[in-house]
Amino acid sequence: MGGYRRYRPGSSSKVAKIIRGKYKPTFTPNQDCGDNVIIINAQKVIFTGKKETDKVYTRYTGYPGGQRFNTPAELRKKPFGVERIIKHAVKGMLPKGPLGRALLNNLYIYEGTEHKHEAQKPKAIDINQYK
């Protein structure tokens, strides 16, 4: 596993590539060779167009008739709602199966600027420098 990286809100697809390690010359598809990513100021993430009110997230409780629907506007009001929105976006771009679930543990999302990873000396990166 590589070092910790920190960035301000940007593109989820670039975050997924950094977590996967696709920007490294030593990329191996069946291994976790990516970096850990710390997303700060997550509450500032924005949706374009009408996605804030029209997009629907579906989840299932496991009980009959237990299908629940939420929009991003509703999720923002709940605790850890913004974290769920970003994690859902990144999770869909990672491989399915045990490797993808392990890679998702390398993503840390914080709504403010404070986080508990200062001891690892994360490097701030400009997400726009990546393709």
Side-chain angles (χ1 to χ4, degrees):
M1 293 220 267
Y4 283 75
R5 294 188 182 218
R6 186 177 86 179
Y7 90 108
R8 299 199 183 331
S11 174
S12 296
S13 60
K14 294 174 186 176
V15 171
K17 283 184 180 182
I18 292 171
I19 291 173
R20 186 96 196 270
K22 287 215 163 190
Y23 291 115
K24 292 185 172 185
T26 58
F27 170 69
T28 309
N30 62 338
Q31 290 182 350
D32 177 6
C33 56
D35 291 332
N36 294 339
V37 176
I38 303 166
I39 298 177
I40 60 172
N41 293 330
Q43 80 278 6
K44 294 182 181 177
V45 72
I46 58 170
F47 285 91
T48 56
K50 295 184 189 176
K51 292 188 197 89
E52 189 76 32
T53 55
D54 292 354
K55 186 178 175 82
V56 177
Y57 292 109
T58 306
R59 62 186 176 86
Y60 183 61
T61 63
Y63 289 95
Q67 200 170 22
R68 304 287 185 252
F69 305 98
N70 290 105
T71 63
E74 294 169 352
L75 279 177
R76 280 185 195 273
K77 297 173 187 170
K78 295 184 178 186
F80 304 106
V82 177
E83 179 180 339
R84 288 182 192 159
I85 291 171
I86 296 174
K87 198 167 265 200
H88 182 271
V90 174
K91 181 181 179 183
M93 298 174 203
L94 292 175
K96 311 312 181 242
L99 178 63
R101 290 190 294 272
L103 288 172
L104 198 59
N105 292 331
N106 295 339
L107 177 64
Y108 302 95
I109 304 167
Y110 297 99
E111 292 192 18
T113 57
E114 299 295 318
H115 60 86
K116 61 182 182 180
H117 305 286
E118 286 299 329
Q120 283 77 29
K121 298 178 184 156
K123 293 184 266 179
I125 62 169
D126 180 20
I127 199 72
N128 296 324
Q129 73 182 2
Y130 293 102
K131 257 185 172 178

